[in-house]
Amino acid sequence: MLSWPRRYMDYVHNNAQVFFAQNISQDDPFLLYATMHGGPNTCFLSRDLMRGHAFLLRDVNLKSCFRRWQQQHQYQLIYIENNGRVKLK
């Protein structure tokens, strides 16, 4: 995201709390913790489907609960239109 055009990043900074992590695989637990700590209305943006994290949950009910929570709180960037509109999934 740091390579995005300045106007897009200005929009993101003006409309959300932003924290950038290094491009490493160990940032997922922090992202999940920060989202949950932010409260029930906090959402996160990631292309990662967090399959590995769900797999590690041994309890079937807990795994189901995690997936349901994820579906309600995760957005994925689809594309940015030429006029600057952002398409999320």
Side-chain angles (χ1 to χ4, degrees), residues 14-31:
N14 290 331
N15 291 284
Q17 290 184 337
V18 180
F19 175 82
F20 291 103
Q22 296 295 323
N23 241 357
I24 58 173
S25 61
Q26 301 303 318
D27 61 348
D28 293 349
F30 174 80
L31 175 66

Side-chain angles (χ1 to χ4, degrees), residues 34-81:
T35 304
M36 288 186 234
H37 183 72
N41 295 322
T42 303
C43 296
F44 67 100
L45 178 70
S46 176
R47 287 183 278 184
D48 190 333
L49 297 178
M50 310 288 174
R51 289 184 191 111
H53 302 289
F55 176 78
L56 293 174
L57 298 171
R58 305 241 186 256
D59 184 287
V60 175
N61 293 325
L62 189 55
K63 190 178 291 198
S64 174
C65 182
F66 173 76
R67 284 294 186 202
R68 212 170 34 253
W69 174 85
Q70 182 185 13
Q71 290 171 347
Q72 295 171 354
H73 293 87
Q74 181 175 359
Y75 289 93
Q76 294 176 307
L77 177 67
I78 303 301
Y79 61 86
I80 301 174
E81 296 176 357

